[in-house]
Amino acid sequence: MRLRETPLVLDGYRESLADQRPAAVELIALVLLSRGERTPEGADTRKANPAAAIADFHDRCGVMLSVGQFMLLSEGRDEKHGPLTTLAATYVGHDINVKFKQYAHVHDAINEALFATEHIGDLLLGSLGFNYEDFIAVRTAIREVYLDRFFAARDTLGEIAQEWSDSGRAEQPEDRIEQGLAAVHDLMFFPGKRAAFTASDIAAASNVELGRVEQVLQRFSVPFGAPSDPVATVESYLAGNSPFRNAALVVDGEGNYISLNVPIGTDCFRQVVEATVKTDAAKWKRYEKRRVAVSEQLAVEHLETLFGTSAAYVNLKYFRPNPGIDVTQLGANAVKITSIAEQTEADALFLVEDVAICVEVKGRSVSSQARGGHVQRLANDLRATVGDATEQALRLERLIRTNGGLWDDNQQWLDLTSIRELRSVAVCLDDMGPLATALDELVRADVVKSDRFPWIVSLHDLAIVAEVIDRPAEFLLYLRRRTESEVSLNFAAIDELDLFMLFLSGQLYVEPDPDRVSEEFLGVRRPTAKDRRRYRGQAVPTRVMTHTDRLDAWVYFREGSSQEEAPKPEFSSHPAVLGLVDFLQDGRKPGWFRFASDLLNLADEAQEDVVRGIDNVIESTKKDGQPHTSFVSFAGAWGYPALFVGSQPAKLPHAFASQHLATYGITKKHQIQSDRALMVLVDERGAIRSVRYDNRRATVDAELDELATEMGLIPVEVMGRPVPPSARRATKRLNPGKKKRKR
């Protein structure tokens, strides 16, 4: 079953196409364990052919796993235990069916930072009887012993087959035939003996002392016990009570071990350590301090990679209002701060151009009871992780948005009035699976108590996003999409990385309500019936399935698990738009972060229009030698950005052309009440000569109103009107039934 369900090599492996079910191996193991003992040594197996049953076992296990998941979801449908009942069922199914929840290189890097002896001393040795280095050596040795024996049997069979072929298929010596039969049995028909190992085998292969090897193997194995009802055992497993949640080995009474479907410690090493260390208060306090430090450090490092800049503040201490005190009382002119506020701390605050990103990190694990489907325990765990992180991040965000700054722990005012956009990120050390993507359930269960959402992400998924994203502006766009309420309501997934890959392909998008956009922003035309139909047609719930094949292939090749070279996934966008974004990012020119993200947010057709507008400006200037401009705005869920492109004729001084574009852009921005504008000046060759970014808030300005009139700008009330059908035709005939008279 292991050979059937768990590929030895990952070349060409595609999860979306594969039919392997690693959890099926666990079901078979449970049935065998329920007998209470192994088949006695020396039993008559001459007529047995277990390999022939594997395909049938695979199908039956697949049915059981699917029915088990439907059973859980059916119980959750009525929300018997509250809004999280269905989510708990989904989480149990995810925990049972998904193995290798984290890529190996990130999984091991996090564990090494937490548990390596150089960081944590003898804490593991004193609690578990082995240290992290012993565990890694044993895990590696188990795989090496297994593969050495597998390939030895394969090579023996290959050599004998080659000898037979080279001899013209002449009869071979009896002992050689017996060797070949033994190799066939070891490979395919009766692989259990070949695959089994003892602690002594692993001690010899790992150079770890036998006592420590035994401690490692015992921690990650399930022994045969008293005979039990296999039906009840399997039903309990499907309900979430898996003895293999923290184990990957089966052991008999004589010290023979066999591996199931994953290496020991996969997805669970930290939970095994924490369950043991927690029984000693002093050790737990020491470990918890390390866990907090590692979680925050790695989260900040990955975010610094994504934003391309260091965090402005780490462990920022600031004042928050006391209960009952309105947040506005902590503004820049507040006095007697300590009488109305108390000191608190934020894990990190990033200030990138005119965007602030509030970060909170939680290292606490989801309990084993919650993993088993206990709804109330899951609710408590989520409130202590996702809930607290969300509340703390949004609290900081609210202060900045309302007051334009903060009071730090020295009672010094931190002026943040230049900030125009705020985002929040809540990072969890634990793998969250569907818990982080089910915002609707989290809101209904009062875990998230706001109409604004942070991006809730595991440390592992954050690390992968940081490895893939090429541009900070791309990441800001992903933050916007993932925290947009309509996106959260319309896209359902059990894995953050499926949503991320959907984003890279340009499909994680919900068009804003055209009626709301038209009402909120000046100069936006009223929506047509077609606009409304399109909006209703795409605003439907979408179940996001597996989209990580390209990501898997790239990671597996980098990790050495696959020899099939694969390119890194990239964000899909118009090459000319990416060129403009890269130009802005190089040297961090004005608008490089926020407005660049606006450009990347445009649909393919809109990006084509932007590029076409730039080309038209250049071509018009080439023809008449005069400066020309183009203007396009794209109001939506995140504001009202406007792009102005102007040309500089070869004979026109740069200062004059730049001022000409700025005057037009600033005036038009004011007229339509746009919250931000990018002005790009190009020459006749298409080279960008200068950029200007204006993110000043819209105000009453009579001079600009008058200037708009003098410049003959189309009035806002006219801009928003639909164009009559007759105006769209090249030739207008007001009375088509009447012929024109000759002059």
Side-chain angles (χ1 to χ4, degrees), residues 10 29 72 111 115 120 128 140 164 219 221 230 269 303 339 432 444 459 513 544 556 564 583 684 705 707 718:
L10 296 174
L72 291 168
N111 280 341
F115 301 116
I120 209 164
L128 287 82
T140 302
W164 180 61
R219 289 280 176 182
S221 61
F269 182 78
L303 288 167
S339 66
M432 302 304 290
R444 290 193 295 114
L459 185 59
D513 184 341
V544 180
Y556 293 153
E564 181 182 10
F583 174 83
E684 294 182 13
D705 291 337
L707 182 58
V718 176

Side-chain angles (χ1 to χ4, degrees), residues 403-454:
N403 298 329
L406 304 165
W407 290 99
D408 67 18
D409 56 332
N410 295 317
Q411 298 186 44
Q412 297 296 310
W413 179 249
L414 176 60
D415 185 10
L416 297 173
T417 52
S418 62
I419 296 301
R420 294 293 182 268
E421 182 172 345
L422 286 125
R423 299 286 159 187
S424 293
V425 179
V427 185
C428 299
L429 176 59
D430 231 7
D431 177 77
M432 302 304 290
L435 303 181
T437 58
L439 278 176
D440 182 46
E441 287 91 338
L442 295 180
V443 171
R444 290 193 295 114
D446 209 27
V447 172
V448 175
K449 304 176 182 180
S450 172
D451 58 353
R452 288 186 58 81
F453 307 115

Side-chain angles (χ1 to χ4, degrees), residues 44-269:
D44 185 6
T45 58
R46 287 174 297 179
K47 295 182 179 180
N49 183 15
I54 296 303
D56 185 39
F57 287 170
H58 166 80
D59 292 340
R60 290 173 183 264
C61 287
V63 171
M64 284 192 286
L65 290 166
S66 297
V67 169
Q69 184 65 66
F70 284 127
M71 175 185 69
L72 291 168
L73 293 174
S74 177
E75 292 176 354
R77 183 178 57 186
D78 298 330
E79 297 191 350
K80 179 180 179 181
H81 302 289
L84 291 180
T85 309
T86 299
L87 181 57
T90 304
Y91 187 49
V92 168
H94 177 265
D95 195 54
I96 291 172
N97 288 282
V98 179
K99 308 300 176 183
F100 300 101
K101 296 180 178 68
Q102 301 183 347
Y103 291 117
H105 71 286
V106 178
H107 175 272
D108 289 350
I110 294 173
N111 280 341
E112 183 174 353
L114 285 169
F115 301 116
T117 301
E118 65 174 299
H119 303 311
I120 209 164
D122 61 355
L123 189 147
L124 263 63
L125 184 60
S127 299
L128 287 82
F130 58 87
N131 59 33
Y132 182 69
E133 292 73 23
D134 295 333
F135 163 76
I136 293 297
V138 169
R139 186 185 69 177
T140 302
I142 291 172
R143 176 172 173 78
E144 289 178 347
V145 167
Y146 178 88
L147 291 178
D148 286 348
R149 293 176 181 177
F150 178 88
F151 290 129
R154 181 203 63 179
D155 294 345
T156 297
L157 181 61
E159 290 170 4
I160 294 172
Q162 189 63 49
E163 291 171 5
W164 180 61
S165 176
D166 292 345
S167 66
R169 302 189 175 184
E171 187 172 348
Q172 293 176 291
E174 188 172 334
D175 64 332
R176 198 61 169 153
I177 293 175
E178 288 296 323
Q179 289 177 0
L181 288 173
V184 171
H185 282 196
D186 284 349
L187 276 175
M188 293 176 287
F189 296 118
F190 300 98
K193 187 173 181 180
R194 181 259 306 163
F197 58 86
T198 65
S200 297
D201 295 333
I202 302 305
S206 65
N207 291 321
V208 176
E209 63 179 71
L210 182 60
R212 296 191 183 188
V213 171
E214 290 174 339
Q215 289 290 333
V216 174
L217 297 181
Q218 289 170 15
R219 289 280 176 182
F220 297 98
S221 61
V222 176
F224 282 88
S228 59
D229 178 8
V231 175
T233 300
V234 169
E235 286 180 341
S236 179
Y237 172 86
L238 294 174
N241 303 311
S242 171
F244 298 117
R245 182 173 293 121
N246 296 332
L249 306 172
V250 168
V251 59
D252 66 11
E254 298 179 358
N256 298 298
Y257 294 84
I258 193 165
S259 297
L260 295 182
N261 49 23
V262 296
I264 60 171
T266 300
D267 300 327
C268 69
F269 182 78

Side-chain angles (χ1 to χ4, degrees), residues 575-692:
V577 172
L578 288 177
L580 176 55
V581 170
D582 289 339
F583 174 83
L584 294 173
Q585 182 179 318
D586 184 20
R588 302 199 169 184
K589 301 175 182 70
W592 74 275
F593 186 55
R594 193 176 179 213
F595 204 96
S597 185
D598 296 330
L599 293 171
L600 295 176
N601 182 54
L602 297 176
D604 291 344
E605 183 179 349
Q607 289 190 349
E608 289 280 2
D609 289 342
V610 167
V611 174
R612 192 178 301 112
I614 296 174
D615 292 340
N616 288 341
V617 165
I618 295 170
E619 290 303 315
S620 297
T621 298
K622 285 181 179 179
K623 290 179 180 179
D624 62 14
Q626 298 298 314
H628 291 269
T629 58
S630 74
F631 154 65
V632 61
S633 61
F634 13 95
W638 311 309
Y640 195 6
L643 175 66
F644 299 89
V645 177
S647 60
Q648 178 186 341
K651 297 181 179 180
L652 191 69
H654 174 267
F656 185 88
S658 179
Q659 186 58 47
H660 177 268
L661 175 62
T663 301
Y664 170 58
I666 292 171
T667 307
K668 190 68 179 179
K669 173 183 179 295
H670 168 75
Q671 183 197 41
I672 65 174
Q673 299 289 282
S674 165
D675 63 335
R676 56 193 182 271
L678 185 72
M679 288 153 264
V680 181
L681 184 69
V682 296
D683 61 22
E684 294 182 13
R685 298 170 300 170
I688 299 176
R689 299 300 306 276
S690 63
V691 293
R692 181 188 297 244

